[in-house]
Each structure stands twice: as C-alpha cells, then as structure tokens.
Amino acid sequence: KADNKLTCHHCGYTIPMPTECPECHSPKLARLGAGTERIEEEIGRTFPHAHIQRMDLDTLRNPEMIQEIFQNIEDGRIDILVGTQIIAKGLHFPNIKFVGIINADMMLNIPDYKSSERAFSLITQVAGRAGRTDNQGFVMIQTANPTHYSITAAQTNDYNVFYGQEIAFRQLLSLPPFVRMLRLVLRGPKEEEVAANINHICDIIKQHNCADNVDKSDKSIEILGPSPCQIERINKNLRYQILMKSKSMTAMQHLLRLSLPEIKVKGKNYLEIDVDPVDLF
C-alpha cells in the first residue's frame, strides 16, 4: 500500500494499483484483508502514542535494516512490533511480554496436508517470543475455531497431544509418514498446451502403472490428478500437477523410469519432479 502497487512475492511481478476493474471498468474497488500494513494502521489508530515497527518482506530489504530493527527493540525504542512469520523464527526479544496471533485460522484453511502441523509449529514458535526472561509472558490467539486440536495443543504447549491427533489423521488418509510421495509439476505459458500435455503424461504413467504394478500390498501406487496447482500461476506460467503416493519409493521410481522415455514435454513447457515434496503449493 505504501507504494500503491500490487506485487507478487513469488516472482516479483508488479503493477500499479488499478483505479477500476479491468473487466467491467467499475471504479468501485474495495481493499480487503488483514495484511501487515492494514494491521499497522489499525494499531496506530488504537495506540496513537506507541512507537510501531512493521517487519515483513517489504521492510526487510537488507541486513542493515534487520539489525537496526533488532537494536531498536533491544533498546526499547519500539513499543509494538507487527510482522509476518519472520518474527517467529528463533528471535530473542527479552523485553516482549505480550504476543498476539491474528487470524490463526488462515493457516488451518490452507489446502495442504501439513496445514495443521504448520499452524501448531508457528503458534508455539510465536508464543515463545513472549516472557523469555524472568517475568511471565501472555499470548492471545485470534481464532474462529478455538477447539481445533492444533490450537488447543499449542495453547498448552503439548506436542504429544498434537502428535497423537495428527498422526491418526495422517494414517487414516494415507499421508506421510505412512506413504512416500512424488510430485510432477508441469508449467508453461499457454494453459491449453499445459493442460493437454499434463493429461498425456498422466495417461502414460497410468498405463504403465496398470501393466507393471502387480503387487497390490506394499508397492501399489495411487495416482492423483492431473489438477491445477494451489498456486496456479507464477511469473505468467500456468502450473498443473500429478501426485503419486506409495509405501515404496522404489516402486514409484521404477514406474517413472518406464514412463519417461514416452513423455514428451511440448513447446515452452517445463516438467519438474519433486521427491517427498515439502508442500503441495
């Protein structure tokens, strides 16, 4: 908002803030959401005499800025720090006694099998920033789902309770660590070409899977997709994915070795193969 621009943090693509809808040309545009700039403004109106510092990708452009912010916090020149997940990553702020986590449900609603794990991890990490010296800290979590196990377990800092619930769901849905995964992502500038190409690749893999996969116990392979990636477009490229799941990584690698000679990546498309993907975005 400070630069009046719309920016993609995945590829750096930037355009000026539009004054009208590019489709219907209506000027009735509303800025929605609770980003760090918006929260900084609200806090400034509520606490007009407080010294507020924002800490996110837009403000931390170089190491000198980061060091300056840390020094200001340590010297007590900053009263309220507003930031993204960056401020949760192992930073030691001995003077901070209160931590607020805004809209914790946003992490839970991300369509990825690790969303509950990430929510629990982030809440416990952020909570650990408060009361790091002798005085007790206080943590407030804003949520519309206060009974979710990742939030209740984080509230009591009970990893064992969270693990017991999460591992049961992972086993029920055949998710890691009970299976291994291979993810094929095809990206390219033309949606029709990418969709046709990924469908052809998937057909080849499924044909070899039906012909070769005779052991249906430990070496069976489940093939999901093709479907658009969660982040469907990055840097003007459309992205589609195929997800393979099996208890045997060797079986999936063997299936790919059989399929690859027949797979043709067309035009300007590019195929990525990700073993045990960290996320499904």
Side-chain angles (χ1 to χ4, degrees):
K1 183 180 177 182
D3 298 327
N4 202 36
K5 294 179 181 179
L6 301 179
T7 301
C8 172
H9 285 300
H10 291 281
C11 65
Y13 179 71
T14 301
I15 61 172
M17 180 68 184
T19 57
E20 62 179 30
C21 172
E23 297 295 330
C24 70
H25 303 291
S26 170
K28 298 179 180 179
L29 300 180
R31 296 173 177 177
L32 303 178
T36 51
E37 286 184 274
R38 183 77 172 271
I39 295 168
E40 183 183 22
E41 290 179 0
E42 294 290 336
I43 291 176
R45 282 192 285 267
T46 305
F47 305 100
H49 301 295
H51 293 90
I52 304 169
Q53 174 67 52
R54 183 160 52 91
M55 194 171 174
D56 55 23
L57 279 176
D58 295 319
T59 59
L60 301 181
R61 293 189 176 95
N62 56 66
E64 289 76 17
M65 294 179 68
I66 299 174
Q67 188 62 39
E68 182 182 351
I69 291 173
F70 289 170
Q71 191 62 52
N72 289 339
I73 295 171
E74 187 174 342
D75 295 342
R77 292 195 291 266
I78 295 175
D79 299 315
I80 301 173
L81 180 66
V82 179
T84 56
Q85 300 180 18
I86 297 172
I87 64 177
K89 304 303 181 182
L91 303 178
H92 178 60
F93 301 138
N95 298 328
I96 292 180
K97 304 304 177 187
F98 174 84
V99 169
I101 302 172
I102 297 173
N103 198 8
D105 301 307
M106 190 164 63
M107 294 177 286
L108 295 174
N109 294 330
I110 294 174
D112 185 83
Y113 74 94
K114 289 185 178 180
S115 58
S116 295
E117 179 184 352
R118 289 195 181 95
F120 173 81
S121 176
L122 185 61
I123 292 172
T124 52
Q125 280 184 330
V126 174
R129 301 313 103 203
R132 295 179 67 84
T133 53
D134 296 335
N135 296 327
Q136 184 176 4
F138 186 81
V139 180
M140 181 176 288
I141 303 171
Q142 181 194 40
T143 174
N145 195 2
T147 59
H148 192 281
Y149 65 93
S150 65
I151 292 178
T152 56
Q155 180 184 3
T156 56
N157 197 25
D158 196 328
Y159 172 78
N160 291 327
V161 168
F162 168 77
Y163 175 82
Q165 291 270 10
E166 179 71 6
I167 204 69
F169 284 129
R170 298 276 187 99
Q171 185 172 24
L172 181 66
L173 298 172
S174 295
L175 293 169
F178 299 98
V179 295
R180 304 288 300 276
M181 282 188 177
L182 272 177
R183 182 177 181 236
L184 285 76
V185 177
L186 187 75
R187 56 180 168 86
K190 296 182 179 179
E191 184 172 9
E192 298 80 8
E193 287 186 2
V194 175
N197 203 172
I198 195 72
N199 277 301
H200 180 64
I201 292 171
C202 191
D203 289 341
I204 292 172
I205 294 173
K206 286 181 177 179
Q207 288 172 6
H208 283 287
N209 187 41
C210 292
D212 186 70
N213 192 13
V214 293
D215 186 348
K216 297 301 180 183
S217 55
D218 291 335
K219 295 183 180 179
S220 61
I221 300 172
E222 183 180 2
I223 301 173
L224 304 175
S227 62
C229 295
Q230 300 296 341
I231 303 175
E232 190 170 351
R233 184 191 295 267
I234 295 179
N235 201 18
K236 299 182 181 181
N237 283 317
L238 276 299
R239 305 167 70 242
Y240 280 74
Q241 67 179 1
I242 299 168
L243 192 65
M244 300 166 59
K245 297 197 304 181
S246 175
K247 293 181 179 179
S248 171
M249 177 58 71
T250 303
M252 290 191 290
Q253 290 173 331
H254 175 66
L255 177 59
L256 272 185
R257 277 194 291 268
L258 291 175
S259 305
L260 281 175
E262 301 176 34
I263 291 176
K264 305 297 180 184
V265 180
K266 299 182 179 180
K268 295 183 178 180
N269 295 344
Y270 184 85
L271 180 64
E272 303 170 1
I273 300 175
D274 192 358
V275 179
D276 290 327
V278 175
D279 60 56
L280 303 180
F281 298 145

PDB file of all heavy atoms in Angstrom, residues 252-264:
ATOM      1  N   MET A 252       7.722 -46.291  -7.185  1.00  0.00           N
ATOM      2  CA  MET A 252       7.389 -45.085  -7.941  1.00  0.00           C
ATOM      3  C   MET A 252       8.529 -44.690  -8.872  1.00  0.00           C
ATOM      4  O   MET A 252       8.301 -44.254 -10.008  1.00  0.00           O
ATOM      5  CB  MET A 252       7.054 -43.950  -6.972  1.00  0.00           C
ATOM      6  CG  MET A 252       5.744 -44.139  -6.230  1.00  0.00           C
ATOM      7  SD  MET A 252       5.198 -42.668  -5.318  1.00  0.00           S
ATOM      8  CE  MET A 252       6.422 -42.607  -4.000  1.00  0.00           C
ATOM      9  N   GLN A 253       9.766 -44.831  -8.396  1.00  0.00           N
ATOM     10  CA  GLN A 253      10.904 -44.518  -9.257  1.00  0.00           C
ATOM     11  C   GLN A 253      10.963 -45.465 -10.455  1.00  0.00           C
ATOM     12  O   GLN A 253      11.268 -45.049 -11.586  1.00  0.00           O
ATOM     13  CB  GLN A 253      12.200 -44.599  -8.443  1.00  0.00           C
ATOM     14  CG  GLN A 253      12.340 -43.484  -7.420  1.00  0.00           C
ATOM     15  CD  GLN A 253      13.536 -43.675  -6.512  1.00  0.00           C
ATOM     16  OE1 GLN A 253      13.956 -44.804  -6.253  1.00  0.00           O
ATOM     17  NE2 GLN A 253      14.094 -42.581  -6.013  1.00  0.00           N
ATOM     18  N   HIS A 254      10.640 -46.736 -10.220  1.00  0.00           N
ATOM     19  CA  HIS A 254      10.617 -47.715 -11.322  1.00  0.00           C
ATOM     20  C   HIS A 254       9.535 -47.347 -12.334  1.00  0.00           C
ATOM     21  O   HIS A 254       9.763 -47.411 -13.561  1.00  0.00           O
ATOM     22  CB  HIS A 254      10.360 -49.109 -10.756  1.00  0.00           C
ATOM     23  CG  HIS A 254      10.205 -50.174 -11.796  1.00  0.00           C
ATOM     24  ND1 HIS A 254      11.243 -50.557 -12.628  1.00  0.00           N
ATOM     25  CD2 HIS A 254       9.123 -50.923 -12.161  1.00  0.00           C
ATOM     26  CE1 HIS A 254      10.816 -51.508 -13.453  1.00  0.00           C
ATOM     27  NE2 HIS A 254       9.533 -51.734 -13.185  1.00  0.00           N
ATOM     28  N   LEU A 255       8.366 -46.927 -11.846  1.00  0.00           N
ATOM     29  CA  LEU A 255       7.276 -46.526 -12.738  1.00  0.00           C
ATOM     30  C   LEU A 255       7.670 -45.315 -13.584  1.00  0.00           C
ATOM     31  O   LEU A 255       7.383 -45.259 -14.781  1.00  0.00           O
ATOM     32  CB  LEU A 255       6.023 -46.219 -11.917  1.00  0.00           C
ATOM     33  CG  LEU A 255       4.812 -45.705 -12.684  1.00  0.00           C
ATOM     34  CD1 LEU A 255       4.372 -46.700 -13.758  1.00  0.00           C
ATOM     35  CD2 LEU A 255       3.651 -45.417 -11.723  1.00  0.00           C
ATOM     36  N   LEU A 256       8.361 -44.366 -12.975  1.00  0.00           N
ATOM     37  CA  LEU A 256       8.800 -43.186 -13.727  1.00  0.00           C
ATOM     38  C   LEU A 256       9.848 -43.552 -14.775  1.00  0.00           C
ATOM     39  O   LEU A 256       9.843 -43.014 -15.886  1.00  0.00           O
ATOM     40  CB  LEU A 256       9.363 -42.132 -12.775  1.00  0.00           C
ATOM     41  CG  LEU A 256       8.368 -41.133 -12.173  1.00  0.00           C
ATOM     42  CD1 LEU A 256       9.112 -40.092 -11.350  1.00  0.00           C
ATOM     43  CD2 LEU A 256       7.534 -40.451 -13.249  1.00  0.00           C
ATOM     44  N   ARG A 257      10.757 -44.459 -14.430  1.00  0.00           N
ATOM     45  CA  ARG A 257      11.784 -44.876 -15.399  1.00  0.00           C
ATOM     46  C   ARG A 257      11.139 -45.530 -16.623  1.00  0.00           C
ATOM     47  O   ARG A 257      11.613 -45.376 -17.750  1.00  0.00           O
ATOM     48  CB  ARG A 257      12.783 -45.824 -14.741  1.00  0.00           C
ATOM     49  CG  ARG A 257      13.887 -45.116 -13.968  1.00  0.00           C
ATOM     50  CD  ARG A 257      15.021 -46.054 -13.629  1.00  0.00           C
ATOM     51  NE  ARG A 257      14.621 -47.038 -12.640  1.00  0.00           N
ATOM     52  CZ  ARG A 257      14.760 -46.889 -11.318  1.00  0.00           C
ATOM     53  NH1 ARG A 257      15.298 -45.771 -10.847  1.00  0.00           N
ATOM     54  NH2 ARG A 257      14.370 -47.830 -10.493  1.00  0.00           N
ATOM     55  N   LEU A 258      10.054 -46.279 -16.404  1.00  0.00           N
ATOM     56  CA  LEU A 258       9.341 -46.888 -17.525  1.00  0.00           C
ATOM     57  C   LEU A 258       8.613 -45.845 -18.368  1.00  0.00           C
ATOM     58  O   LEU A 258       8.507 -45.986 -19.591  1.00  0.00           O
ATOM     59  CB  LEU A 258       8.317 -47.906 -16.999  1.00  0.00           C
ATOM     60  CG  LEU A 258       8.854 -49.187 -16.360  1.00  0.00           C
ATOM     61  CD1 LEU A 258       7.718 -50.007 -15.784  1.00  0.00           C
ATOM     62  CD2 LEU A 258       9.641 -50.012 -17.377  1.00  0.00           C
ATOM     63  N   SER A 259       8.136 -44.787 -17.710  1.00  0.00           N
ATOM     64  CA  SER A 259       7.281 -43.804 -18.384  1.00  0.00           C
ATOM     65  C   SER A 259       8.063 -42.711 -19.092  1.00  0.00           C
ATOM     66  O   SER A 259       7.634 -42.202 -20.134  1.00  0.00           O
ATOM     67  CB  SER A 259       6.323 -43.167 -17.370  1.00  0.00           C
ATOM     68  OG  SER A 259       5.567 -44.145 -16.684  1.00  0.00           O
ATOM     69  N   LEU A 260       9.205 -42.315 -18.528  1.00  0.00           N
ATOM     70  CA  LEU A 260       9.927 -41.142 -19.029  1.00  0.00           C
ATOM     71  C   LEU A 260      10.303 -41.216 -20.517  1.00  0.00           C
ATOM     72  O   LEU A 260      10.234 -40.195 -21.212  1.00  0.00           O
ATOM     73  CB  LEU A 260      11.171 -40.889 -18.179  1.00  0.00           C
ATOM     74  CG  LEU A 260      10.913 -40.196 -16.834  1.00  0.00           C
ATOM     75  CD1 LEU A 260      12.197 -40.109 -16.012  1.00  0.00           C
ATOM     76  CD2 LEU A 260      10.331 -38.793 -17.039  1.00  0.00           C
ATOM     77  N   PRO A 261      10.713 -42.387 -21.058  1.00  0.00           N
ATOM     78  CA  PRO A 261      11.055 -42.409 -22.492  1.00  0.00           C
ATOM     79  C   PRO A 261       9.894 -42.015 -23.401  1.00  0.00           C
ATOM     80  O   PRO A 261      10.118 -41.550 -24.529  1.00  0.00           O
ATOM     81  CB  PRO A 261      11.486 -43.867 -22.734  1.00  0.00           C
ATOM     82  CG  PRO A 261      11.953 -44.342 -21.396  1.00  0.00           C
ATOM     83  CD  PRO A 261      11.044 -43.684 -20.411  1.00  0.00           C
ATOM     84  N   GLU A 262       8.654 -42.184 -22.945  1.00  0.00           N
ATOM     85  CA  GLU A 262       7.491 -41.859 -23.772  1.00  0.00           C
ATOM     86  C   GLU A 262       6.942 -40.463 -23.477  1.00  0.00           C
ATOM     87  O   GLU A 262       6.059 -39.979 -24.186  1.00  0.00           O
ATOM     88  CB  GLU A 262       6.386 -42.896 -23.533  1.00  0.00           C
ATOM     89  CG  GLU A 262       6.803 -44.317 -23.857  1.00  0.00           C
ATOM     90  CD  GLU A 262       5.705 -45.311 -23.516  1.00  0.00           C
ATOM     91  OE1 GLU A 262       4.516 -44.954 -23.656  1.00  0.00           O
ATOM     92  OE2 GLU A 262       6.035 -46.438 -23.099  1.00  0.00           O
ATOM     93  N   ILE A 263       7.443 -39.817 -22.426  1.00  0.00           N
ATOM     94  CA  ILE A 263       6.922 -38.498 -22.047  1.00  0.00           C
ATOM     95  C   ILE A 263       7.591 -37.417 -22.884  1.00  0.00           C
ATOM     96  O   ILE A 263       8.817 -37.322 -22.950  1.00  0.00           O
ATOM     97  CB  ILE A 263       7.150 -38.242 -20.539  1.00  0.00           C
ATOM     98  CG1 ILE A 263       6.257 -39.165 -19.707  1.00  0.00           C
ATOM     99  CG2 ILE A 263       6.887 -36.782 -20.192  1.00  0.00           C
ATOM    100  CD1 ILE A 263       6.478 -39.060 -18.211  1.00  0.00           C
ATOM    101  N   LYS A 264       6.776 -36.626 -23.538  1.00  0.00           N
ATOM    102  CA  LYS A 264       7.258 -35.518 -24.349  1.00  0.00           C
ATOM    103  C   LYS A 264       6.773 -34.198 -23.731  1.00  0.00           C
ATOM    104  O   LYS A 264       5.569 -33.989 -23.586  1.00  0.00           O
ATOM    105  CB  LYS A 264       6.741 -35.635 -25.791  1.00  0.00           C
ATOM    106  CG  LYS A 264       7.071 -36.958 -26.473  1.00  0.00           C
ATOM    107  CD  LYS A 264       8.572 -37.165 -26.620  1.00  0.00           C
ATOM    108  CE  LYS A 264       8.876 -38.500 -27.318  1.00  0.00           C
ATOM    109  NZ  LYS A 264      10.329 -38.768 -27.393  1.00  0.00           N
TER     110      LYS A 264
END
